[in-house]
Amino acid sequence: MTATVHRLGASSAPSLDPLVGLVAHDLNLVNSVILNRMQSDIPLIPTLAGHLIAGGGKRLRPMLTLVSAKLLDYAGTRHHRLAATVEFIHTATLLHDDVVDGSDLRRGKRTANVIWGNPASVLVGDFLFSRSFELMVEDGSLKVLKILSNASAVIAEGEVNQLTAARRTDTSEERYLDIIGAKTAALFAAACRIAAVVAERPEAEEAALDAYGRNLGIAFQLVDDAIDYVSDAGTMGKDAGDDFREGKMTLPVILAYARGDAEARAFWKDAIEGRRSSDDDLAEATRRVQETNAVADTLARARHYGQRAIDALGIFPDSAAKRAMVEAVEFAIHRAY
């Protein structure tokens, strides 16, 4: 096996099309599992779950499970149910997050909590978590169960950590990275790693796929947090400025606050603590994160983690799957440009 090296920086606009094309057949089978397992005799459950599951998401996390299996030449079918498991975990966390954040928009559509209320959203999220654990148990692998159940716990820890860090201007960059490593990157890592488990590949390959997913997840979230200050709802899939209005200390704010003078810090303190949240305040926040290079430096960090994700694939030989996984990293970062 010959290691290959790829440097981040596509010559043309990267796309998820190679990834989608490679896993299209498998993804159809995953979608069948999702559709079947989100059913219930209680009509509100499939209606509410379907609103989000069919709401235009890219299915990136389950696709990572599928393409990782292709990278390893796995010829079985266990990864189909496990990819559905990953999507159920992700969807459940989104339902809960929208309640916690009081979000009104998700992927350009009204959130489930706005339409059906907070209690229904929380309970259907619980239902999807339960379905995910049923699928894990049916797979029969204690190692898979350990990886995915641990990821679920870590995600919840990350969300609680973020909740307790909200509206606190003393949040450090280290704590922020802990938060996004848990709430976003943990599921990316698990989604990739379980493919190596079902393919019965060596621990080194498991670790490489875990590192790929984890670093991709961090890069993905860094870009999301940067473009909250430079984009609009059509690009973001949520209202631009949501993080600002929710008092989230994302990296652009952490950097802008640290680099600001007394006047700037007073502005950020008022904004993060909820005393300045108008459109004019958002415009000022956007100006401040840009003039301190906080957005540019956040994206530079995203590129660093993106390169680490690509480097993690170095132990695998060249293949269509590997090239698609590299381009997925480039796509995740290019969204900000």
Side-chain angles (χ1 to χ4, degrees):
M1 181 179 294
T2 303
T4 57
V5 176
H6 180 94
R7 288 291 161 210
L8 185 61
S11 57
S12 58
S15 168
L16 285 181
D17 289 347
L19 175 59
V20 173
L22 272 178
V23 303
H25 173 70
D26 289 321
L27 190 58
N28 284 335
L29 297 174
V30 173
N31 287 333
S32 295
V33 176
I34 291 171
L35 182 63
N36 177 263
R37 291 308 184 97
M38 62 184 261
Q39 298 306 313
S40 168
D41 292 335
I42 310 301
L44 178 60
I45 292 176
T47 300
L48 192 153
H51 173 79
L52 185 53
I53 289 174
K58 296 180 180 65
R59 294 277 203 277
L60 179 56
R61 292 155 188 81
M63 284 199 295
L64 289 175
T65 302
L66 300 177
V67 76
S68 295
K70 280 197 176 295
L71 180 74
L72 304 175
D73 294 321
Y74 174 63
T77 60
R78 289 168 60 192
H79 60 316
H80 297 146
R81 287 190 175 191
L82 293 176
T85 301
V86 167
E87 184 66 5
F88 277 152
I89 293 171
H90 176 55
T91 305
T93 61
L94 293 185
L95 287 169
H96 289 169
D97 289 353
D98 286 342
V99 171
V100 171
D101 295 339
S103 300
D104 297 326
L105 191 68
R106 168 75 65 181
R107 298 169 186 158
K109 297 171 59 177
R110 286 194 302 160
T111 53
N113 51 295
V114 168
I115 300 172
W116 290 283
N118 289 342
S121 290
V122 170
L123 293 172
V124 173
D126 292 344
F127 172 85
L128 294 178
F129 266 127
S130 300
R131 281 288 194 246
S132 74
F133 278 90
E134 285 180 350
L135 288 164
M136 291 180 221
V137 170
E138 288 172 14
D139 179 72
S141 167
L142 283 177
K143 191 168 188 179
V144 166
L145 179 61
K146 180 178 180 180
I147 291 169
L148 289 174
S149 60
N150 177 257
S152 299
V154 169
I155 292 166
E157 288 177 333
E159 294 294 349
V160 174
N161 195 5
Q162 179 173 263
L163 181 66
T164 56
R167 305 203 180 280
R168 293 183 59 96
T169 55
D170 61 350
T171 302
S172 66
E173 182 174 344
E174 291 73 22
R175 184 174 184 184
Y176 164 81
L177 288 171
D178 284 343
I179 289 169
I180 67 171
K183 79 183 191 71
T184 302
L187 189 56
F188 275 73
C192 297
R193 184 165 202 143
I194 56 177
V197 176
V198 300
E200 299 180 346
R201 301 300 285 258
E203 182 68 29
E205 294 186 15
E206 274 188 49
L209 285 172
D210 184 288
Y212 168 81
R214 193 171 305 278
N215 285 291
L216 171 57
I218 293 172
F220 189 93
Q221 189 62 56
L222 282 164
V223 171
D224 260 12
D225 291 345
I227 63 180
D228 192 63
Y229 287 94
V230 297
S231 192
D232 56 25
T235 303
M236 287 289 294
K238 64 178 183 179
D239 287 325
D242 271 359
D243 289 347
F244 171 75
R245 294 187 176 91
E246 292 161 10
K248 290 181 179 177
M249 286 295 290
T250 58
L251 188 57
V253 177
I254 292 169
L255 296 177
Y257 180 80
R259 295 167 180 176
D261 57 17
E263 179 189 354
R265 289 191 175 205
F267 165 79
W268 284 115
K269 187 172 178 62
D270 284 344
I272 293 303
E273 292 178 359
R275 293 186 292 276
R276 298 192 64 169
S277 59
S278 69
D279 288 345
D280 287 343
D281 294 326
L282 174 59
E284 182 173 352
T286 300
R287 176 180 63 80
R288 289 185 182 277
V289 296
Q290 291 175 338
E291 71 184 11
T292 57
N293 290 320
V295 168
D297 287 346
T298 297
L299 294 176
R301 285 163 171 76
R303 290 192 294 274
H304 165 74
Y305 284 101
Q307 186 62 59
R308 288 178 63 174
I310 291 170
D311 290 345
L313 297 177
I315 68 169
F316 300 106
D318 183 52
S319 67
K322 180 176 176 177
R323 292 191 295 272
M325 293 171 79
V326 168
E327 189 162 354
V329 176
E330 294 174 330
F331 170 82
I333 292 169
H334 191 78
R335 294 175 302 142
Y337 297 93

